[in-house]
């Protein structure tokens, strides 16, 4: 059930334990148990904010895996993945502990929005947060302090949501000179996505930059989005998380349904490079209707046409051409665009040579 609570929403279910977020202990649960929580935090609102969480405490010792979903409140694939994992994973087959936060930003989730309406902030830009900051900064603070910093691996499940259409992929830290980089890359390869985004640098404010600061290896996902869940994306996220757990030594016993890749020998893995900052996307130069000319995942050359922005009387307002070569990894989530809207993003297909 849900009930309104101050500026947010309470996500209580039968048997849910309500505790202060600062009292949450990864090791408090008995081995072999599942539990649902409301982690209560002071977000600077009229009432405490409830952050829903699920914990699977494995029957055997092992790593601590943190799974975040809905850092942006209109991205639903990760929520389904977390709920499905909680229902299907048998703690007797699990080594270690899995903590899943199905709505990492309860404020944005309640509003079905990318950002928190209470302060207009994007949670994925304010990590590691501040204890005395805005509501979104306080959420980031507690996610960092109590969950990310105490985990052994972070999986952050994203998609395009309402604002973008994104090629389905797994992103990771690209640094073969460091252990955290190698572990992130190996985990991303185990996840099973065909498209891997290797990030040589990480912009500040992300959950993954917070993880990096604490020495926690990580990967994140993207998928098409559009406020709906494509079955192929749902299956990749669910199966990929199981494969990640197997890779981390967290699953015992035979493969679970959905864990096996359908055709591992035919996996056409591609790798792209760059910082992955959608805030640096190419922008629309006019209000109008965007007619896309090439599909997501296509490689284009400098000057190739990405699409056209037209007015509704048929006039061509802007020919959208690639500013450089690369792979089309994102386009605007709606064909109706306004001047200044993020329109497309290209990712390099080769790593940038060191200066």
């Amino acid at each position: 059930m849900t009930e309104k609570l101050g500026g947010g929403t309470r996500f209580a279910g039968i048997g849910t334990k309500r505790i202060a977020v600062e009292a949450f202990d990864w090791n408090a649960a008995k081995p072999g148990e599942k539990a649902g929580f409301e982690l209560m935090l002071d977000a600077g609102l009229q009432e405490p904010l409830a952050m829903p969480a699920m914990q699977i405490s494995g029957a055997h010792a092992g790593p601590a895996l943190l799974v975040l979903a809905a850092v942006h409140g209109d991205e639903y694939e990760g929520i389904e993945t977390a709920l499905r994992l909680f229902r299907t994973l048998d703690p007797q087959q699990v080594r270690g502990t899995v903590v899943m936060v199905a709505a990492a930003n309860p404020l944005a989730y309640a509003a079905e929005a990318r950002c928190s309406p209470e302060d207009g902030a994007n949670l994925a830009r304010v990590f590691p947060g501040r204890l005395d900051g805005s509501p979104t900064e306080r959420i980031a603070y507690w996610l960092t302090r109590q969950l990310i910093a105490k985990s052994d691996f972070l999986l952050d499940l994203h998609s395009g949501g309402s604002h973008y259409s994104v090629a389905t992929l797994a992103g990771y830290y690209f640094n073969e000179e460091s252990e955290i980089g190698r572990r992130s890359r190996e985990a991303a390869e185990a996840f099973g996505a065909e498209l891997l985004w290797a990030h040589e640098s990480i912009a500040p404010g992300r959950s993954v930059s917070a993880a990096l600061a604490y020495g926690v290896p990580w990967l994140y996902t993207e998928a098409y989005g559009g406020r709906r869940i494509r079955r192929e994306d749902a299956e990749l996220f669910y199966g990929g998380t199981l494969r990640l757990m197997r890779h981390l030594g967290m699953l015992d016993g035979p493969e679970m349904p959905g864990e096996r890749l359908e055709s591992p020998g035919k996996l056409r893995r591609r790798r792209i490079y760059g910082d992955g900052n959608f805030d640096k996307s190419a922008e629309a130069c006019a209000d109008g209707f965007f007619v896309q000319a090439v599909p997501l995942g296509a490689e284009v050359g400098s000057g190739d046409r990405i699409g056209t922005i037209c007015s509704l009387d048929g006039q061509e307002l802007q020919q959208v051409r690639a500013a450089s070569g690369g792979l089309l990894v994102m386009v605007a989530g709606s064909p109706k665009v306004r001047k200044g809207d993020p329109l497309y993003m290209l990712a390099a297909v080769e790593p940038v040579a060191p200066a």
Side-chain angles (χ1 to χ4, degrees):
M1 67 180 179
T2 65
E3 61 178 292
K4 288 293 181 183
L5 178 63
T9 300
R10 185 173 289 162
F11 302 88
I14 296 173
T16 297
K17 303 175 184 178
R18 184 176 301 157
I19 62 172
V21 65
E22 59 266 33
F24 179 76
D25 183 350
W26 281 76
N27 301 311
K30 294 180 180 178
E33 289 189 349
K34 295 182 182 182
F37 295 91
E38 282 187 328
L39 304 180
M40 309 302 296
L41 63 97
D42 176 6
L45 304 171
Q46 291 183 345
E47 300 284 347
L49 179 67
M51 179 186 295
M54 298 169 282
Q55 182 176 13
I56 301 172
S57 183
H60 311 284
L65 171 64
L66 174 62
V67 181
L68 298 182
V71 166
H72 296 126
D74 59 351
E75 299 176 6
Y76 301 127
E77 293 84 348
I79 299 174
E80 178 181 299
T81 299
L83 295 173
R84 186 176 173 188
L85 287 165
F86 189 69
R87 294 196 310 270
T88 59
L89 280 171
D90 180 355
Q92 298 302 316
Q93 292 182 267
V94 174
R95 290 185 175 274
T97 303
V98 185
V99 171
M100 295 173 286
V101 184
N105 188 342
L107 301 174
Y109 174 74
E112 303 177 28
R114 179 175 175 83
C115 299
S116 307
E118 284 74 7
D119 56 14
N122 180 343
L123 178 57
R125 301 294 182 270
V126 301
F127 282 92
R130 290 170 48 211
L131 179 60
D132 60 350
S134 72
T136 306
E137 289 174 321
R138 296 187 191 204
I139 292 170
Y141 174 85
W142 287 113
L143 284 170
T144 302
R145 179 185 177 91
Q146 287 296 89
L147 298 177
I148 294 174
K150 298 180 180 181
S151 67
D152 295 312
F153 197 96
L154 168 64
L155 172 61
D156 193 354
L157 299 170
H158 284 265
S159 72
S162 307
H163 290 253
Y164 309 112
S165 298
V166 186
T168 301
L169 58 87
Y172 69 94
Y173 180 45
F174 177 46
N175 185 341
E176 288 297 310
E177 301 303 314
S178 69
E179 181 183 0
I180 188 173
R182 291 189 295 272
R183 290 176 63 191
S184 296
R185 188 255 306 156
E186 291 166 357
E189 291 173 348
F191 192 82
E194 289 198 341
L195 184 60
L196 300 179
W197 204 345
H199 299 298
E200 298 155 302
S201 62
I202 309 299
R206 273 59 171 178
S207 64
V208 296
S209 61
L212 197 59
Y214 280 96
V216 176
W218 53 265
L219 68 88
Y220 77 92
T221 65
E222 291 288 357
Y224 190 79
R227 297 169 68 95
R228 62 185 58 84
I229 301 172
R230 302 192 307 179
R231 295 324 308 164
E232 60 266 36
D233 293 332
E235 292 305 315
L236 173 65
F237 281 23
Y238 174 73
T241 306
L242 294 176
R243 290 186 288 272
L244 171 64
M245 291 180 64
R246 185 81 63 179
H247 169 76
L248 295 174
M250 297 184 69
L251 278 183
D252 282 339
E255 289 181 332
M256 292 181 59
E259 181 182 349
R260 178 181 290 275
L261 282 169
E262 289 299 320
S263 302
K266 297 181 180 178
L267 189 65
R268 183 174 169 261
R269 181 169 287 148
R270 296 182 294 170
R271 211 174 300 261
I272 53 179
Y273 301 85
D275 65 5
N277 188 354
F278 287 171
D279 295 342
K280 297 180 181 177
S281 303
E283 297 178 350
C285 295
D287 297 352
F289 193 91
F290 177 57
V291 181
Q292 189 174 332
V294 293
L296 279 172
E299 288 190 33
V300 299
S302 180
D304 287 353
R305 188 165 66 91
I306 303 292
T308 306
I309 297 177
C310 300
S311 64
L312 296 187
D313 61 1
Q315 300 300 306
E316 182 179 288
L317 303 176
Q318 179 188 352
Q319 274 206 7
V320 181
R321 296 192 174 275
S324 63
L327 184 142
L328 184 63
V329 72
M330 181 279 284
V331 295
S334 168
K336 184 179 183 295
V337 297
R338 298 185 179 213
K339 183 178 180 179
D341 282 352
L343 193 58
Y344 75 89
M345 185 172 189
L346 299 173
V349 296
E350 297 289 342
V352 177

